[in-house]
Amino acid sequence: MDRWGGTVLNVKKSYTEQFRPQFHLTPPAQWMNDPNGLVLYEGEYHFFYQHHPHSNVWGPMHWGHAVSRDLMHWEHLPVALEPDEHGHIFSGCCVVDWNDSTGLFEGSHGLVALFTHADQHPETGQPRQRQSLAYSRDKGRSWSKYKGNPVLEESGLIDFRDPKVFWHQETDRWIMLLAAGDHIRFYQSENLQEWEYSGEFGSRDGSHDGVWECPDLFELPVEMSGGISKWVLIVSIGDHPSYPEGSRTQYFVGHFDGRSFVNEDSANSIRWLDHGRDNYAGVTWSNSPDEDGRRLFIGWMSNWKYANLTPTESWRGAMTLPRSLSLREQDGDIILIQTPVREATGLRKQTKELRGITLAPHTPFRTEVQDDLLEIEAEFEAGSSSEIIIKLQYSEPNETLIGYNSREQWLYIDRSASGLTSFHEAFACRHGARLRPSQGRVKLHLFLDRSSIELFADDGSVVLTDLIFPEGTVRSIEFSTDSGEAVLTSLCIHSLDSIYALEETSYAGK
């Protein structure tokens, strides 16, 4: 037994359990939620995450840890941060302290983690959230807590968590964002240890359907704009019983002056990062852009409405595919674009290509598939049809529908009959988003894993991410219309390799 009462394990995992994703990041065992501490350092993408190593439901939070060189294949490392006398280890970030501003690296450089310590106030018993620091001198393999923890607290705030820190060149300062219930607070520092409040944003902006969490802020160029760039602020909002969507993520586009953020939209406008039900708490990698100029993002693929109830046993929780973010001007607006990282193409093993297929209500096109790990690229001309329907048919009487209604310009996923859904009343549903194809054709890019769908439309201008729990394996894909004719102008179906196909991963729990 370890100091927290859990059993120390050293178990080889085959990753073959029912519903276990085969090309998405999952914990070797037990519970996973929010991505934390994402940082690119000396050729490795570090991924930390909220982790309960002794249960498959949320509990005392630790930081799990994995590293990768290609964003697809991950090596799981021991738990990086454990609860201590200051509390549990909630969400946070990592930065590279290149110039040893902390004085912790003897004139060299290393990794610094800033995170929320969560406990109860000893006098009032109220929840208490304070910000703390840890550091690593060996590329993240071991971590030391700073002796002066916590480094920042606001006694009047109960919700005060999820620090995201970056270096702001123009002001020569470290900047910290923190979620504070219904707004974001900003702080500045020269050494990552002493912080000064500089401003806040959001108490009257965007959606307040739930508590604000997991902020991120970064600058992106606008495609084809001649050098114009904008700042993007990402904010997740927690589940509220009154809203069927549950937890989800919004974003704002605007300006940052080193002290606070200014939203360029009207205060009551809302931009959703993902229109599915299962992309939450996502953030980007620090020390980014990477060598290819990419701003890389990943989210937790679940929803707080049912995250503790999904039908898995030895593990629970998965991440989205890593995505590259950009900004694009469309219909006079600047929108956030998400595309799967190019490294995902390395999983392709076989491809079926078809072109020029006419679709009609009584003449659907069906193609058999031999694999349950799929990447599908499809392009349609809507023609006289009012709705194009893609049916993913499973060996059991389960099916998941993807549709586009051209009259309403509405893209949707219907998982009502997708398999196991009874674990929560809100899971079986049909939901979607407005889609006005920028090139006049409906372009869909779909990734299907054993318990998820990620749908990128119109080159990433609209994204839907959903969990599904089919009781069988996918056997065929059917394309049809509900009325009139449409043309499936091109179709590529790629069967994908499992990231575990070549080796098993060992795990030593702490």
Side-chain angles (χ1 to χ4, degrees), residues 10 18 85 170 175 253 288 324 346 360 371 379 407 436 488:
N10 187 359
Q18 186 181 21
E85 69 274 14
E170 289 75 13
I175 306 297
V253 176
S288 178
S324 181
D371 205 323
E379 189 170 315
R407 293 176 182 171
R436 290 179 290 180
L488 179 55

Side-chain angles (χ1 to χ4, degrees), residues 349-350 352 367-374 393 448 450 473-477 493-496:
K349 58 182 183 181
Q350 291 181 337
K352 177 190 294 186
T367 180
E368 305 296 319
V369 293
Q370 306 299 320
D371 205 323
D372 58 353
L373 308 178
L374 298 174
Q393 185 69 58
L448 181 67
R450 289 184 179 165
T473 57
V474 64
R475 296 300 189 191
S476 66
I477 307 170
I493 301 176
H494 311 281
S495 60
L496 304 181

